[in-house]
């Protein structure tokens, strides 16, 4: 649990570090911002594949499942993770900001919608949850590559924190407040990490399920939140290049440092 808390706090600190430059930089070129978002998506995709799904399949086989059984178990776990995130996406009020700082999408509970900035932060927090869960599962299960995996998640949190704070500043939030909100958006990660680590540590048979569940949540976040945001301003090619570089970097870290 201590390792999960430590790794979760490192990820939160990386988000905060990414937000700090907004105190000096008024605006990041949108092309660069979208490329960085794509890079983060690539890191998360590779982490999902090599640090969550592959170990989940192996853990299921170690528990006596055959090839088909392990694949079926992991598939169900992935689907459960996606279902959890989809439910949260529909229930928790949240929104995205367009280039003019206007709300572009709102989900759930319309009659109790908080202010626009709060909605945007909720959207970011929503897709930070699976990152914290994944870090906690990796730490709680004692995976050999838990440290490089957590470092890779922290690495993609840096541009994420920058993009969050810059988006808020562009929407009219004071730069100091934008940095604080961007930093605070990562605090859900150590919480999610500790909860996931305790669950997996207490019930070792949950390891393949926990890994697959976290993988499903990460897949949802990448497909539903990160990639659409990186494509929203018409910079799909640059975002795809960033995604490819992020994927390759995480793959090398996972295979070379694990």
């Amino acid at each position: 649990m201590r390792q999960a808390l430590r790794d979760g706090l490192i990820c939160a600190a990386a988000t905060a570090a990414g937000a700090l430059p907004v105190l000096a930089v008024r605006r990041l070129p949108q092309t660069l911002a979208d490329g960085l978002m794509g890079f983060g998506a690539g890191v998360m995709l590779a982490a999902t594949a090599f640090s969550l799904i592959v170990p989940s399949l192996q853990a299921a086989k170690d528990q006596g499942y055959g090839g088909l059984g392990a694949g079926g178990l992991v598939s169900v776990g992935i689907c459960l993770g996606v279902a959890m995130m989809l439910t949260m996406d529909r229930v928790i009020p949240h929104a995205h900001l367009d280039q003019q700082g206007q709300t572009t999408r709102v989900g759930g509970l319309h009659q109790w919608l908080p202010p626009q900035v709060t909605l945007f932060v909720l959207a970011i927090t929503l897709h930070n949850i699976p990152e914290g869960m994944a870090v906690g599962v990796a730490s709680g299960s004692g995976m050999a590559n838990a440290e490089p995996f957590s470092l890779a998640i922290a690495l993609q949190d840096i541009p994420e924190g920058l993009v969050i704070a810059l988006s808020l500043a562009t929407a009219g939030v004071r730069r100091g407040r934008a940095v604080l909100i961007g930093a605070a958006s990562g605090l859900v990660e150590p919480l999610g990490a500790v909860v996931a680590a305790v669950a997996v540590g207490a019930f070792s048979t949950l390891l393949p399920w926990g890994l697959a569940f976290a993988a499903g949540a990460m897949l949802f976040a990448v497909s539903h939140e990160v990639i659409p945001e990186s494509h929203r301003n018409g910079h799909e090619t640059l975002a795809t290049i960033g995604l490819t570089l992020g994927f390759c970097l995480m793959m090398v870290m996972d295979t070379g440092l694990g």
Side-chain angles (χ1 to χ4, degrees):
M1 188 173 72
R2 282 187 212 169
Q3 183 179 345
L5 178 60
R6 182 200 67 189
D7 291 346
L9 287 172
I10 289 174
C11 292
T15 302
L20 283 176
V22 173
L23 292 174
V25 178
R26 289 183 178 274
R27 186 173 181 84
L28 187 72
Q30 192 60 54
T31 52
L32 179 57
D34 291 339
L36 290 173
M37 288 284 278
F39 178 85
V43 170
M44 292 173 71
L45 280 176
T48 299
F50 298 107
S51 296
L52 295 174
I53 293 177
V54 171
S56 178
L57 288 167
Q58 186 58 53
K61 290 179 180 178
D62 291 344
Q63 291 183 5
Y65 289 89
L68 286 176
L73 183 153
V74 172
S75 296
V76 172
I78 290 173
C79 290
L80 289 174
V82 170
M84 184 271 292
M85 291 299 292
L86 182 60
T87 300
M88 293 182 66
D89 185 71
R90 296 296 175 87
V91 171
I92 297 177
H94 68 283
H96 296 280
L97 302 182
D98 62 18
Q99 291 174 297
Q100 289 73 44
Q102 300 300 313
T103 302
T104 58
R105 183 171 63 84
V106 177
L109 304 182
H110 302 284
Q111 62 271 36
W112 295 300
L113 290 179
Q116 185 185 73
V117 169
T118 305
L119 293 176
F120 179 65
V121 174
L122 280 172
I124 297 301
T125 302
L126 185 66
H127 96 254
N128 277 346
I129 291 173
E131 295 175 18
M133 287 172 49
V135 168
V137 170
S139 302
S141 64
M143 283 169 49
N145 62 345
E147 287 195 10
F149 172 69
S150 300
L151 287 175
I153 295 297
L155 179 66
Q156 71 87 31
D157 278 336
I158 295 174
E160 184 175 280
L162 177 61
V163 170
I164 294 166
L166 280 170
S167 298
L168 292 171
T170 301
V173 179
R174 291 181 183 175
R175 283 189 289 174
R177 188 180 177 193
V179 169
L180 289 176
I181 293 173
S185 70
L187 294 179
V188 70
E189 293 190 52
L191 177 61
V194 170
V195 171
V198 169
V200 172
F203 306 98
S204 59
T205 55
L206 291 179
L207 176 57
W209 291 98
L211 290 168
F213 187 87
M218 290 268 278
L219 280 176
F220 179 92
V222 172
S223 176
H224 199 70
E225 300 283 347
V226 184
I227 291 178
E229 282 296 312
S230 69
H231 288 194
R232 182 167 55 86
N233 299 290
H235 304 132
E236 295 90 344
T237 299
L238 187 60
T240 300
I241 292 172
L243 184 148
T244 304
L245 293 175
F247 187 96
C248 291
L249 175 63
M250 178 58 200
M251 180 177 63
V252 170
M253 289 182 64
D254 191 276
T255 58
L257 301 179

